[in-house]
């Protein structure tokens, strides 16, 4: 057989699959189904990187195996194409974002096809197409109808470079997610989705799904449910109540001061009564320059100002306590005020030390003259709580006291905030709301959707945080759908997370003009059986999309309460230097280069062979060459081919064991060990020197999900049939058992020998073989054997005295 010409073979089979629509999901809803989902890519100008290949290769293997197992497989792909990078590129190159998007999608599509992914190309979606975002807007309006959409004035994270408002999630660490510039605070009216209404449902839903433990944990932490108490402190000067939330009401006897957000409305309300109001104003202005991240950093100098004119009264002790303002308390979090227990909280302790505030120990166990004690212990200096050493009992007792006094009650809070749902940029879904001076906010009628993004020449962002759409009079000025009077359109667009919050539903029925997907299609395909993606999306995207799905479920529009039955994640591919790939480091690997030099099958095989799929692994040129050598040896099997329609006696057990291993490893995403098992099997085949047709067919089918081009060609050469139209191979469990096994022999619990014995040998023969071993015989010589223990197929322990 001539040398393997991967270029012509790969083109041949990609053309065949395309022309025969080999991977098109069937509309026959009587078949058993499998819905595999990968995170659709953002089509950047750089094209795909090897990380995309690894991300899609896991479920690519599973999907190809499922088709061979007789499933109707939906394995779709699409493009999440709205967002800032495309718009920034368009501004830089002075071309329209539509042109940039189409160009990038074409580039990605060609790359994906070159690697031979078995996507259903008839269902490709693009979030920027009017037929798609019509339904994004439709779902938004349903949320508006149900009171889950609202506007509020708030201090927002603003990126001066991108000229856009960012959610907390998109500005972590005080940096813009897109351009990494420092963000600043700005007061603005913002659209919100009331995701907090679904906090409990999102937590409860995690009980119903098969997600990696780490994925569940990250989502639970993101939602951040805590139970505690709401407590009201009276302000001495005006009788007003300062309401706070605490998870530790048992420590109320130790509260010696309070802290308010510098922006707290009570300060403005009583500013005439506050002697040092100028100092407070100056401090507040300083805070406005800081990002939320900077304000809430634990490790930083404590700053603050005591309010001269407002004093709180501890509701439990009746003592007067000072009130401060400090940057680490935010209006957007909790109630905008906190109680401080310096003896048992490090931040409060540092603050109290700096400002000379009393520190009262209420939990025994530390030395508060040195540092705060944050552990558990017996309650002291705490009235009725004294002597209680169980935290739960102390909290319960205090909750009873608070309710009795009428100054507090049990409460629940969430770390997750409502979702800031707008951008002041052009390249996004227009928000379908009209502002009418008479009727207020009015929804664009459903029959007028999609509210189209106007075609414009100048889409650069405004300098004042306004959307470019605000400059287009023909778009802005309209009639109110309710009263017919003059009105103005909303000019903000939706964030880049909008389109990906429901895309998995559209794949079920992507060309439907009458609904986002037919009920029949949704009932058949949903839920997604297996979703794989990056760990960086398990909070934002996954929580947002679960929220949208649960909302649609509550409306009776989707058949399942959870969108994804199972979620796994792949690890990063690091550069050859072991560092994260980045253009600045010069360690980026282009998948096109690998396909050009070695072929798509080598690339596919290598990204799954390089290590544990869920862990990060560095790129290695020598390992790629190893995968190339393996496929060359696979091709060479054709030169050893003999007739035979059953496995030969020498290769029967190795084949059955390998089929079992590969079958099971694919399901548990242990792709590297599945490939290693096939490499071991090919060594055994070469040492036998021949392979018959039954064995070659089984080997090709087993390897096909990993390396589909070479295996299709070899199967076609041997059988004149298309491999992807065949069935997965089965194995005989009885032939998968090893005939011999290694056991250990101990004398008085100490290892003395290792023996190879026949599997399931009887005790007498095993003990006899153990005693016949030279080292064991030496160890028991001259001693009395009092006990002989045999754990079948594991160990022998001889007790001798």
């Amino acid at each position: 057989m001539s040398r393997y010409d991967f270029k012509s073979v790969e083109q041949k089979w990609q053309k065949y699959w395309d022309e025969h629509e080999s991977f098109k999901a069937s509309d026959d809803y009587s078949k058993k189904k499998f819905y595999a989902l990968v995170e659709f890519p953002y089509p950047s100008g750089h094209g795909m990187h090897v990380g995309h290949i690894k991300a899609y290769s896991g479920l690519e293997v599973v999907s190809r195996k499922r088709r061979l197992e007789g499933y109707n497989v939906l394995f779709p792909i699409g493009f999440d194409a709205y967002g800032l990078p495309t718009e920034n590129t368009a501004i830089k190159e002075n071309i329209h974002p539509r042109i940039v998007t189409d160009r990038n999608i074409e580039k990605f599509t060609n790359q994906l096809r070159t690697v031979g992914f078995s996507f259903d190309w008839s269902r490709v979606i693009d979030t920027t197409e009017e037929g798609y975002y019509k339904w994004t807007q439709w779902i938004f309006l349903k949320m508006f109808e149900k009171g889950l959409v609202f506007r509020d004035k708030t201090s927002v994270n603003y990126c001066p470079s991108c000229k856009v408002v960012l959610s907390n999630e998109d500005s972590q660490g005080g940096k813009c997610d897109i351009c990494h510039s420092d963000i600043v605070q700005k007061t603005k009216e913002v659209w919100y989705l009331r995701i907090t209404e679904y906090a409990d449902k999102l937590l409860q839903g995690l009980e119903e799904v098969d997600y990696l433990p780490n994925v569940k944990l990250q989502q639970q932490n993101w939602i951040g449910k805590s139970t505690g108490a709401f407590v009201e402190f009276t302000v001495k000067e005006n009788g007003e109540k300062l309401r706070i939330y605490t998870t530790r009401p048992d420590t109320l006897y130790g509260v010696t001061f309070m802290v308010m957000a510098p922006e707290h409305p009570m300060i403005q309300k009583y500013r005439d009564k506050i002697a040092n109001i100028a100092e407070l104003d100056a401090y507040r202005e300083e805070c406005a320059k800081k990002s939320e991240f900077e304000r809430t950093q634990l490790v930083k100098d404590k700053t603050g100002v005591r309010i001269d004119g407002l004093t709180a009264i501890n509701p439990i002790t009746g003592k007067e306590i000072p009130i401060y303002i400090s940057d680490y308390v935010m209006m957007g979090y909790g109630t905008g005020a906190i109680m401080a227990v310096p003896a048992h909280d490090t931040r409060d302790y540092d603050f109290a030390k700096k400002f000379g505030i009393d520190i009262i120990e209420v939990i025994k166990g530390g030395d508060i003259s040195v540092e705060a004690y944050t552990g558990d212990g017996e309650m002291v200096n705490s009235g009725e709580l004294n002597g209680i050493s169980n935290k739960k009992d102390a909290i319960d007792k205090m909750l009873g006291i608070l309710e009795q006094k009428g100054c507090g009650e049990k409460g629940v809070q969430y770390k997750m905030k409502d979702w800031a749902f707008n951008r002041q940029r052009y390249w996004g879904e227009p928000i379908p709301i009209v502002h009418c001076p008479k009727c207020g906010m009015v929804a664009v009628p459903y029959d007028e959707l999609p509210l189209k993004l106007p075609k414009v020449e100048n889409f650069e962002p405004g300098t004042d945080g306004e959307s470019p759409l605000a400059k287009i009079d023909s778009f802005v000025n309209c009639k109110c759908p309710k009263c017919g009077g003059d009105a103005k359109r909303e000019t903000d667009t939706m964030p880049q997370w909008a389109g990906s919050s429901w895309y998995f539903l559209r794949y079920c029925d992507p060309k439907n003009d009458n609904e986002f997907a037919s009920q029949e299609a949704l009932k058949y395909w949903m839920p997604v059986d297996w979703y794989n993606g990056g760990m960086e999306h398990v909070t934002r995207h996954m929580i947002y999309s679960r929220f949208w799905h649960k909302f649609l479920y509550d409306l009776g529009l989707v058949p399942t309460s959870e969108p994804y039955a199972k979620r796994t994640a792949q690890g990063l591919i690091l550069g050859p230097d072991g560092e994260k790939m980045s253009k600045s480091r010069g360690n980026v690997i282009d998948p096109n280069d690998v396909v050009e030099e070695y072929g798509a099958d080598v690339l596919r095989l290598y990204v799954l062979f390089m290590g544990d799929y869920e862990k990060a692994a560095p790129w290695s040129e020598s390992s790629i060459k190893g995968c190339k050598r393996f496929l060359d040896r696979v091709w060479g099997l054709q030169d050893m081919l003999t007739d035979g329609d059953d496995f030969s006696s020498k290769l029967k057990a190795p084949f059955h064991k390998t089929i079992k291993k590969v079958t099971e490893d694919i399901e548990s995403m242990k792709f590297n060990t599945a490939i290693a098992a096939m490499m071991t099997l090919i060594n055994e085949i070469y040492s036998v020197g021949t392979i018959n047709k039954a064995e070659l067919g089984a080997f090709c089918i087993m390897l096909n999900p990993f390396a589909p081009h070479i295996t299709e060609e070899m199967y076609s050469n041997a059988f004149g049939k298309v491999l992807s139209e065949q069935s997965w191979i089965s194995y005989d469990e009885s032939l998968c058992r090893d005939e011999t096994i290694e056991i250990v022999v101990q004398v008085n619990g100490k290892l003395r020998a290792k023996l190879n014995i026949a599997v399931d040998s009887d005790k007498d023969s095993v003990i006899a073989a153990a005693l016949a071993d030279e080292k064991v015989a030496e160890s028991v010589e001259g001693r009395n054997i009092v006990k002989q223990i045999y754990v079948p197929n594991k160990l022998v322990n001889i007790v001798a005295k």
Side-chain angles (χ1 to χ4, degrees), residues 327-343:
D327 60 358
Y328 71 86
V329 179
M330 311 279 294
M331 270 319 294
Y333 281 71
T335 62
I338 63 156
M339 67 177 214
V341 185

Side-chain angles (χ1 to χ4, degrees), residues 136-138 140-141 144 191 429-434 442-445 449-451 489-490 492 494:
T136 310
Q137 292 175 335
W138 188 91
F140 175 88
L141 288 183
F144 182 71
W191 286 98
E429 301 89 343
I431 291 176
I433 297 290
V434 168
V442 182
V444 169
L449 296 181
L451 171 60
R489 287 196 194 284
E490 173 57 51
D492 282 358
M494 297 186 195

Side-chain angles (χ1 to χ4, degrees), residues 191-463:
W191 286 98
Y192 285 98
L193 297 190
R194 221 181 282 273
I195 192 171
T196 50
E197 292 273 313
Y198 276 75
D200 274 325
K201 284 182 179 175
L202 289 167
L203 278 175
Q204 287 155 9
L206 293 173
E207 304 301 314
E208 303 165 27
V209 291
D210 175 15
Y211 292 177
L212 290 175
N214 191 13
V215 172
K216 278 191 183 182
L217 183 66
Q218 283 202 33
Q219 294 203 14
Q220 284 162 347
N221 290 345
W222 188 272
I223 296 163
K225 183 178 184 177
S226 69
T227 54
F230 287 101
V231 185
E232 288 182 339
F233 287 70
T234 304
V235 178
K236 182 185 84 170
E237 289 82 356
N238 52 41
E240 289 239 22
K241 305 288 185 202
L242 254 185
R243 186 172 166 85
I244 63 97
Y245 173 80
T246 176
T247 56
R248 295 299 303 268
D250 54 321
T251 61
L252 269 158
Y253 277 94
V255 175
T256 58
F257 66 101
M258 294 187 80
V259 184
M260 274 184 183
E263 305 82 3
H264 201 288
M266 194 181 282
I267 297 167
Q268 294 310 315
K269 190 173 177 183
Y270 295 105
R271 58 183 297 118
D272 297 346
K273 306 277 193 305
I274 298 170
N276 60 338
I277 191 69
E279 199 182 346
L280 268 59
D281 287 346
Y283 184 81
R284 192 184 71 223
E285 279 169 35
E286 279 304 305
C287 291
K289 295 173 191 168
K290 296 180 189 173
S291 70
E292 182 177 321
F293 176 78
E294 289 171 308
R295 285 180 61 167
T296 54
Q297 280 283 72
L298 276 169
V299 185
K300 67 178 180 74
D301 282 346
K302 302 296 172 281
T303 64
V305 181
R306 182 174 176 168
I307 304 174
D308 185 356
L310 297 179
T311 315
I313 296 166
N314 184 322
I316 299 301
T317 65
K319 285 182 184 170
E320 291 184 14
I321 54 174
I323 305 174
Y324 287 76
I325 59 167
S326 182
D327 60 358
Y328 71 86
V329 179
M330 311 279 294
M331 270 319 294
Y333 281 71
T335 62
I338 63 156
M339 67 177 214
V341 185
H344 306 291
D345 179 279
T346 305
R347 177 148 47 187
D348 295 347
Y349 185 89
D350 294 345
F351 196 94
K353 280 287 184 192
K354 177 164 182 176
F355 290 98
I357 307 167
D358 292 346
I359 298 174
I360 299 170
E361 180 181 53
V362 291
I363 302 169
K364 225 156 84 174
D367 180 356
I368 61 161
S369 66
V370 179
E371 61 182 357
Y373 174 63
T374 56
D376 294 339
E378 185 187 329
M379 301 301 297
V380 292
N381 303 320
S382 295
E384 307 94 307
L385 271 56
N386 283 342
I388 300 174
S389 53
N390 179 304
K391 184 165 81 176
K392 187 182 179 302
D393 292 347
I395 289 172
D396 288 345
K397 179 114 185 190
M398 182 54 82
L399 286 170
I401 295 166
L402 289 170
E403 282 180 23
Q404 197 184 330
K405 284 178 171 278
C407 60
E409 75 279 343
K410 192 174 180 176
V412 171
Q413 265 206 335
Y414 300 92
K415 199 169 81 182
M416 179 171 72
K417 299 295 159 221
D418 283 322
W419 176 9
F421 194 77
N422 55 329
R423 295 286 183 272
Q424 295 68 44
R425 294 295 292 250
Y426 170 73
W427 195 236
E429 301 89 343
I431 291 176
I433 297 290
V434 168
H435 298 279
C436 172
K438 281 189 204 156
C439 311
M441 293 190 294
V442 182
V444 169
Y446 287 109
D447 60 9
E448 289 180 21
L449 296 181
L451 171 60
K452 293 179 184 177
L453 195 59
K455 291 178 172 58
V456 296
E457 293 298 316
N458 178 16
F459 41 82
E460 289 206 22
T463 49

Side-chain angles (χ1 to χ4, degrees), residues 178-194:
I178 311 296
C179 71
H180 310 296
S181 307
D182 289 339
I183 56 132
V184 297
Q185 299 297 295
K186 206 177 173 104
T187 302
K188 198 166 187 337
E189 267 216 300
V190 171
W191 286 98
Y192 285 98
L193 297 190
R194 221 181 282 273

Side-chain angles (χ1 to χ4, degrees), residues 743-745 755 757-758 760-772 789-793 795-796 798:
I743 65 160
V744 296
V745 182
L755 294 180
I757 61 159
D760 295 337
S761 297
D762 63 282
K763 180 179 176 178
D764 292 344
S765 63
V766 174
I767 299 287
L771 290 169
I789 301 158
Y790 175 50
V791 179
N793 300 325
L795 70 85
V796 169
I798 296 164

